[in-house]
mmCIF file of all heavy atoms in Angstrom:
data_model
loop_
_atom_site.group_PDB
_atom_site.id
_atom_site.type_symbol
_atom_site.label_atom_id
_atom_site.label_comp_id
_atom_site.label_asym_id
_atom_site.label_seq_id
_atom_site.Cartn_x
_atom_site.Cartn_y
_atom_site.Cartn_z
ATOM 1 N N TYR A 1454 22.866 31.193 26.684
ATOM 2 C CA TYR A 1454 24.255 30.896 27.029
ATOM 3 C C TYR A 1454 24.520 31.028 28.522
ATOM 4 O O TYR A 1454 25.639 30.805 28.977
ATOM 5 C CB TYR A 1454 25.192 31.815 26.248
ATOM 6 C CG TYR A 1454 25.183 31.489 24.773
ATOM 7 C CD1 TYR A 1454 24.315 32.127 23.902
ATOM 8 C CD2 TYR A 1454 26.018 30.497 24.259
ATOM 9 C CE1 TYR A 1454 24.283 31.809 22.554
ATOM 10 C CE2 TYR A 1454 25.995 30.162 22.914
ATOM 11 C CZ TYR A 1454 25.125 30.829 22.070
ATOM 12 O OH TYR A 1454 25.088 30.501 20.733
ATOM 13 N N ASP A 1455 23.504 31.363 29.268
ATOM 14 C CA ASP A 1455 23.622 31.480 30.721
ATOM 15 C C ASP A 1455 22.243 31.226 31.309
ATOM 16 O O ASP A 1455 21.230 31.558 30.695
ATOM 17 C CB ASP A 1455 24.126 32.873 31.115
ATOM 18 C CG ASP A 1455 24.442 32.969 32.601
ATOM 19 O OD1 ASP A 1455 23.498 33.231 33.377
ATOM 20 O OD2 ASP A 1455 25.603 32.778 32.979
ATOM 21 N N TYR A 1456 22.204 30.662 32.504
ATOM 22 C CA TYR A 1456 20.910 30.391 33.126
ATOM 23 C C TYR A 1456 20.116 31.670 33.355
ATOM 24 O O TYR A 1456 18.876 31.652 33.347
ATOM 25 C CB TYR A 1456 21.109 29.633 34.436
ATOM 26 C CG TYR A 1456 21.749 28.276 34.228
ATOM 27 C CD1 TYR A 1456 23.053 28.024 34.653
ATOM 28 C CD2 TYR A 1456 21.050 27.246 33.592
ATOM 29 C CE1 TYR A 1456 23.642 26.786 34.455
ATOM 30 C CE2 TYR A 1456 21.628 26.009 33.382
ATOM 31 C CZ TYR A 1456 22.927 25.780 33.817
ATOM 32 O OH TYR A 1456 23.514 24.556 33.612
ATOM 33 N N GLN A 1457 20.803 32.778 33.526
ATOM 34 C CA GLN A 1457 20.102 34.051 33.730
ATOM 35 C C GLN A 1457 19.395 34.518 32.455
ATOM 36 O O GLN A 1457 18.461 35.321 32.529
ATOM 37 C CB GLN A 1457 21.083 35.109 34.218
ATOM 38 C CG GLN A 1457 21.793 34.742 35.520
ATOM 39 C CD GLN A 1457 20.837 34.296 36.621
ATOM 40 O OE1 GLN A 1457 19.844 34.980 36.889
ATOM 41 N NE2 GLN A 1457 21.130 33.165 37.245
ATOM 42 N N ASP A 1458 19.853 34.019 31.301
ATOM 43 C CA ASP A 1458 19.185 34.388 30.045
ATOM 44 C C ASP A 1458 17.745 33.876 29.990
ATOM 45 O O ASP A 1458 16.914 34.418 29.255
ATOM 46 C CB ASP A 1458 19.952 33.820 28.848
ATOM 47 C CG ASP A 1458 21.309 34.482 28.651
ATOM 48 O OD1 ASP A 1458 21.509 35.592 29.195
ATOM 49 O OD2 ASP A 1458 22.156 33.888 27.959
ATOM 50 N N ILE A 1459 17.455 32.848 30.762
ATOM 51 C CA ILE A 1459 16.123 32.248 30.723
ATOM 52 C C ILE A 1459 15.058 33.265 31.130
ATOM 53 O O ILE A 1459 13.949 33.261 30.592
ATOM 54 C CB ILE A 1459 16.079 31.007 31.636
ATOM 55 C CG1 ILE A 1459 16.984 29.909 31.058
ATOM 56 C CG2 ILE A 1459 14.645 30.507 31.812
ATOM 57 C CD1 ILE A 1459 17.189 28.726 31.979
ATOM 58 N N GLY A 1460 15.400 34.142 32.045
ATOM 59 C CA GLY A 1460 14.438 35.130 32.506
ATOM 60 C C GLY A 1460 13.979 36.088 31.427
ATOM 61 O O GLY A 1460 12.911 36.717 31.556
ATOM 62 N N ARG A 1461 14.740 36.218 30.359
ATOM 63 C CA ARG A 1461 14.380 37.117 29.269
ATOM 64 C C ARG A 1461 13.623 36.411 28.141
ATOM 65 O O ARG A 1461 13.207 37.051 27.178
ATOM 66 C CB ARG A 1461 15.645 37.780 28.703
ATOM 67 C CG ARG A 1461 16.353 38.684 29.708
ATOM 68 C CD ARG A 1461 17.448 39.500 29.044
ATOM 69 N NE ARG A 1461 18.584 38.667 28.662
ATOM 70 C CZ ARG A 1461 19.601 38.382 29.479
ATOM 71 N NH1 ARG A 1461 19.607 38.860 30.710
ATOM 72 N NH2 ARG A 1461 20.595 37.630 29.075
ATOM 73 N N LEU A 1462 13.456 35.104 28.277
ATOM 74 C CA LEU A 1462 12.797 34.336 27.221
ATOM 75 C C LEU A 1462 11.285 34.542 27.282
ATOM 76 O O LEU A 1462 10.670 34.423 28.338
ATOM 77 C CB LEU A 1462 13.124 32.851 27.383
ATOM 78 C CG LEU A 1462 12.756 31.925 26.218
ATOM 79 C CD1 LEU A 1462 13.640 32.219 25.015
ATOM 80 C CD2 LEU A 1462 12.898 30.462 26.647
ATOM 81 N N LYS A 1463 10.690 34.852 26.166
ATOM 82 C CA LYS A 1463 9.250 35.061 26.082
ATOM 83 C C LYS A 1463 8.597 33.914 25.315
ATOM 84 O O LYS A 1463 9.199 33.322 24.417
ATOM 85 C CB LYS A 1463 8.930 36.384 25.369
ATOM 86 C CG LYS A 1463 9.580 37.606 25.996
ATOM 87 C CD LYS A 1463 9.123 37.810 27.433
ATOM 88 C CE LYS A 1463 9.751 39.075 28.025
ATOM 89 N NZ LYS A 1463 9.385 39.237 29.462
ATOM 90 N N LYS A 1464 7.347 33.637 25.651
ATOM 91 C CA LYS A 1464 6.610 32.590 24.938
ATOM 92 C C LYS A 1464 6.360 33.031 23.504
ATOM 93 O O LYS A 1464 5.795 34.105 23.272
ATOM 94 C CB LYS A 1464 5.284 32.303 25.629
ATOM 95 C CG LYS A 1464 4.495 31.158 24.991
ATOM 96 C CD LYS A 1464 3.144 30.953 25.646
ATOM 97 C CE LYS A 1464 2.160 32.036 25.247
ATOM 98 N NZ LYS A 1464 0.773 31.704 25.660
#
Side-chain angles (χ1 to χ4, degrees):
Y1454 291 92
D1455 188 275
Y1456 297 110
Q1457 301 310 311
D1458 292 341
I1459 293 171
R1461 296 190 289 273
L1462 192 69
K1463 304 299 182 184
K1464 184 184 74 169

